[in-house]
Amino acid sequence: MSTKKDLTIKDVTASEHALINEQQYNFLFQKTPAQYIKQRQGKGGGQWRFVEGSYVKKVLNFITGFNYDFEVMESNLYMEAGQVVILGKLTLRLKGQEIIKMQYGRSDIKFKRGTKIPLDVGNDFKAATTDALKK
């Protein structure tokens, strides 16, 4: 008769190959503290919950010791669709190893009231970039 042992956080972080320690693991996988969860009106009604880019950067700074990069690999402006789409690349450096993740982010283009004149496309690109980073 064999007994199955569940892995613990100590099991995962104690390995010589572990990239993060127990404190970093607990910080990374904790429930997001309520003070960092924001709400906004969602399309089609309802409320959307989200975290700001500054919180994501705080977590990255803690986990990596400020040792990460975020790059925009592609950026597209779709005026007909009213969207900016970004492909972002996040590179984390931990214990001499790199972890690379890529993801798309998007933002609706904000137009001057009653027109098809963009209000601030640069801000829309920034919002799409933050969206990619948060993902």
Side-chain angles (χ1 to χ4, degrees), residues 70-78 83-89 102-107 124-133 135:
F70 185 78
E71 303 172 66
V72 172
M73 305 305 291
E74 294 177 19
S75 60
N76 298 288
L77 175 65
Y78 299 106
Q83 290 187 344
V84 171
V85 178
I86 297 292
L87 175 61
K89 177 182 173 184
M102 295 177 73
Q103 186 55 267
Y104 285 94
R106 58 159 293 282
S107 179
D124 300 324
F125 273 97
K126 181 176 71 93
T129 301
T130 301
D131 187 51
L133 173 66
K135 290 177 177 176

Side-chain angles (χ1 to χ4, degrees), residues 18 21 28 31 40 44 49 53 57 63 68 81 86 90 94 97-100 112 115-117 121 128 130 134:
N21 63 37
L28 186 59
K31 187 174 180 176
R40 69 176 174 88
R49 295 166 46 131
K57 290 175 189 174
I63 296 300
Y68 72 93
I86 297 292
L90 176 64
L94 299 164
Q97 295 187 44
E98 285 189 346
I99 300 169
I100 298 172
K112 293 182 181 178
T115 74
K116 283 294 183 180
I117 300 169
V121 176
T130 301
K134 292 192 312 184

